[in-house]
Amino acid sequence: MTTKEVIIIGGGLSGIMAARTLFENGVEDVLIVEKSRSVGGRLATRRIGEGKADHGAQFFTVRSGELQQDVDKWLEARWVKRWFGNPYPRYTSTGGMNDLAKQLAETIPVKLNTKVSAIRDGRDGLLEIELESGETILTNHCIVTAPVPQALSLLPGMTEPQVSTISFAPCFVGMFTFNGSSCIPSPGHTDENLPDGVERVVDHHKKGISQSVTVSVYMTGEWAKKNEMLEDDGILTEIQRVAEHYLTEGSEIATAELKRWRYAEAETVMRSPFVEVGTSKRIIICGDAFLRVDDEAGRTRFESAYLSGISAGERVACKG
Ligand SMILES: Cc1cc2nc3c(=O)[nH]c(=O)nc-3n(C[C@H](O)[C@H](O)[C@H](O)COP(=O)(O)OP(=O)(O)OC[C@H]3O[C@@H](n4cnc5c(N)ncnc54)[C@H](O)[C@@H]3O)c2cc1C
């Protein structure tokens, strides 16, 4: 049976930052276990024909000195660019948001396509990480970064009243290729004067990440809740009606795809960057819903995931 010093469940931004922090602090026997076929989680980019479309986070903002320092390095490496917004810039990845996650995770050991099904106390004070495949990994410390409802399902019997109250809103995103241009104004993002139920619309060609014209239409959490019983086709037809507003004369929609996020954004947050649970408190739950006490934005986002992951990594590193 494999034994690791630290297992991190989830290869989204918080898991990646927890791993990077552990490495920086000399803890190298670390493995990220990720159920999908790529790292990134909600930093998600889909390839559609010759084009690309971000369908999770579109951009991020920076309030903390820690993130600003890293962003300055990422700007120099051309991993990210200022997209729009003055005086508060919206940064985005130059190759799609998922590329940034891949670049940050490049040197970290990750076991992909591997879903964790349970975490329990094992023998000799170790934790047992049970995988859906039936395999078990033993570890001294476990950092769980899955969205809270998914994290709690791995820890049956765990009672942490504050954490149990964290709920997430869903989001539906329609991705369309246009065989001509869109009338979304440069630089390709709009969140104003939109029809009811629409949160934002993005043209990835104008954003600079896609060769062809791909347009993502984000519906609000409220709209998604109202329509979550519909089949995918029904939802996509509704969203396509919105996308059609942005066709220029003569252009048409060539392809349409849907992404349903069950856990997009936390509706309630925790005012602590992580919680320690389990009998020996060697299981840490963190992620974008865990905010530092001085977090001024007060909501889940790229930066809250980034900071929560760093705090969780530092906590485990200082325990040795
Ligand atoms: C539609 C949408 C739009 C958004 N827009 C913005 C935006 O514009 N700006 C912004 O700042 N933020 C935005 N966000 C939020 C931002 O993307 C997230 O806050 C951030 O990416 C969360 O990172 P995370 O690591 O905490 O969680 P995640 O990215 O969700 O990572 C968790 C990982 O855990 C994995 N996992 C779950 N269960 C298991 C298991 N049992 N075993 C193994 N792996 C597991 C998942 O596959 C996932 O990769 C948006 C999110 C969505 C969904």
Side-chain angles (χ1 to χ4, degrees):
M1 216 179 273
T2 317
T3 304
K4 287 274 160 199
E5 181 59 20
V6 188
I7 291 289
I8 298 172
I9 301 175
L13 183 62
S14 51
I16 294 168
M17 291 315 301
R20 286 174 66 97
T21 306
L22 284 161
F23 272 77
E24 279 162 20
N25 285 278
V27 183
E28 293 189 353
D29 189 17
V30 176
L31 177 68
I32 293 182
V33 181
E34 166 56 54
K35 69 178 180 180
S36 307
R37 59 193 162 96
S38 162
V39 293
R42 281 172 276 161
L43 304 183
T45 308
R46 192 172 291 186
R47 285 189 177 278
I48 310 172
E50 297 292 293
K52 280 183 181 179
D54 282 330
H55 55 91
Q58 280 289 344
F59 57 74
F60 60 94
T61 49
V62 182
R63 283 185 163 81
S64 65
E66 273 146 297
L67 180 54
Q68 190 62 61
Q69 269 189 7
D70 261 349
V71 168
D72 290 343
K73 288 184 209 149
W74 302 343
L75 283 166
E76 217 174 292
R78 295 178 194 235
W79 289 1
V80 300
K81 64 175 182 182
R82 282 173 84 132
W83 184 16
F84 65 91
N86 210 350
Y88 303 109
R90 269 60 165 182
Y91 296 94
T92 196
S93 169
T94 48
M97 291 297 277
N98 189 252
D99 264 19
L100 178 59
K102 285 188 178 142
Q103 282 150 333
L104 292 171
E106 215 163 43
T107 55
I108 301 166
V110 185
K111 195 172 166 68
L112 295 170
N113 300 307
T114 307
K115 188 172 179 185
V116 172
S117 48
I119 307 163
R120 346 170 235 278
D121 288 319
R123 279 185 299 171
D124 305 325
L126 292 170
L127 297 165
E128 283 184 8
I129 310 299
E130 184 190 281
L131 309 183
E132 212 172 49
S133 62
E135 195 190 331
T136 299
I137 307 176
L138 299 176
T139 187
N140 270 317
H141 300 276
C142 179
I143 300 177
V144 191
T145 72
V148 173
Q150 290 177 325
L152 293 181
S153 72
L154 304 177
L155 295 154
M158 209 242 3
T159 47
E160 189 71 39
Q162 264 187 298
V163 181
S164 316
T165 59
I166 297 174
S167 62
F168 274 68
C171 180
F172 296 155
V173 184
M175 286 160 274
F176 305 93
T177 45
F178 287 14
N179 66 3
S181 55
S182 86
C183 60
I184 299 163
S186 285
H189 175 275
T190 181
D191 56 6
E192 284 170 2
N193 303 319
L194 299 171
D196 275 356
V198 183
E199 190 174 296
R200 70 183 75 248
V201 184
V202 176
D203 176 335
H204 299 91
H205 185 65
K206 289 182 180 156
K207 186 181 184 182
I209 69 158
S210 178
Q211 276 185 30
S212 53
V213 179
T214 59
V215 170
S216 288
V217 179
Y218 286 65
M219 306 308 285
T220 61
E222 209 179 314
W223 191 93
K225 279 186 196 168
K226 226 183 320 172
N227 291 282
E228 64 192 345
M229 302 313 285
L230 291 179
E231 299 286 329
D232 287 2
D233 283 354
I235 293 171
L236 203 47
T237 305
E238 292 290 322
I239 307 181
Q240 183 156 332
R241 280 200 197 111
V242 177
E244 281 162 3
H245 289 300
Y246 299 96
L247 290 165
T248 50
E249 209 179 314
S251 69
E252 283 175 3
I253 290 180
T255 67
E257 298 180 23
L258 176 70
K259 171 66 187 178
R260 296 172 88 122
W261 292 101
R262 189 159 174 211
Y263 305 111
E265 195 182 334
E267 293 169 312
T268 47
V269 293
M270 183 108 182
R271 284 287 178 175
S272 162
F274 57 80
V275 290
E276 292 169 291
V277 299
T279 43
S280 52
K281 301 281 182 214
R282 279 179 300 112
I283 304 170
I284 285 189
I285 307 181
C286 71
D288 63 341
F290 295 84
L291 271 49
R292 290 188 177 171
V293 182
D294 59 356
D295 189 309
E296 286 170 15
R299 55 183 185 78
T300 94
R301 63 203 190 283
F302 179 102
E303 189 171 28
S304 64
Y306 170 92
L307 294 172
S308 174
I310 291 178
S311 294
E314 284 171 346
R315 177 66 182 150
V316 173
C318 85
K319 282 179 164 186

